[in-house]
Amino acid sequence: MTSNHKMEEEKLDANSISFIALCHRYCVTLESLADEATDSDDFCRSMLYILPRLYMTAFDLGMSGDDISDYRDADSGDSVNEVLDEDAYTIVRDNIAAIMGSHDTFLETNVEDMRYSDTPIASSVSECLADIYQSAYDFVATAKELPAEMLPELLSDMKIRFRDYWSETLCNVLRILNSLYQRSELLSDNF
């Protein structure tokens, strides 16, 4: 490793490095579902362990609201490449749905459309987690290909994606996973 490359790596703070590692761990966890006999209780416990950490590290990525506005105004482009294909997304989503069974679908109460609707709006644990997986997977795959000096821009892009989209998705699915796990529905239903 050259000293210049090492200096560029040192520009990343511990939180940024943790975020990259957590995104990778999240992806590996979901990808391993097909290889392991994971029951719903273990799966919920695993997600309840990693999702809050992922939220906290993404929340603490080093950009203020002004920095995000400046980043958007600069029209710097989208630095995260869309790498995950639809088949891989579907496999992850379907594996989660199989584990969650009848508990995969939940009523979404935090959707803007809910105010104007007479019917409940349903969401699914599997789709929420797969959407987060897609963001994390694309981020990790892009990070592996970029030189170290480009990682701060990539992390800035992820901060924007977190704030605009997947932070709410993460909170919504975390709420339902917590509810299922804490009420022991997963165990009592022999699910």
Side-chain angles (χ1 to χ4, degrees), residues 79-151:
S79 58
V80 177
N81 297 324
E82 293 182 14
V83 179
L84 186 71
D85 63 44
E86 188 174 341
D87 291 338
Y89 174 93
T90 301
I91 289 169
V92 166
R93 187 195 64 215
D94 291 350
N95 287 338
I96 297 167
I99 289 169
M100 296 305 296
S102 64
H103 297 287
D104 187 46
T105 302
F106 64 96
L107 296 180
E108 183 53 72
T109 58
N110 197 27
V111 176
E112 183 66 26
D113 294 342
M114 189 70 178
R115 287 196 300 164
Y116 309 108
S117 176
D118 292 336
T119 58
I121 297 173
S123 190
S124 74
V125 170
S126 57
E127 190 160 341
C128 289
L129 292 177
D131 286 351
I132 297 166
Y133 170 77
Q134 182 171 14
S135 289
Y137 184 94
D138 289 347
F139 167 73
V140 170
T142 303
K144 286 179 182 177
E145 300 299 319
L146 286 180
E149 63 269 10
M150 304 244 345
L151 288 177

Side-chain angles (χ1 to χ4, degrees), residues 13-33:
D13 62 10
N15 187 67
S16 296
I17 294 167
S18 292
F19 179 72
I20 295 167
L22 278 167
C23 284
H24 180 262
R25 180 175 179 185
Y26 179 73
C27 291
V28 168
T29 300
L30 294 184
E31 290 163 358
S32 69
L33 293 176

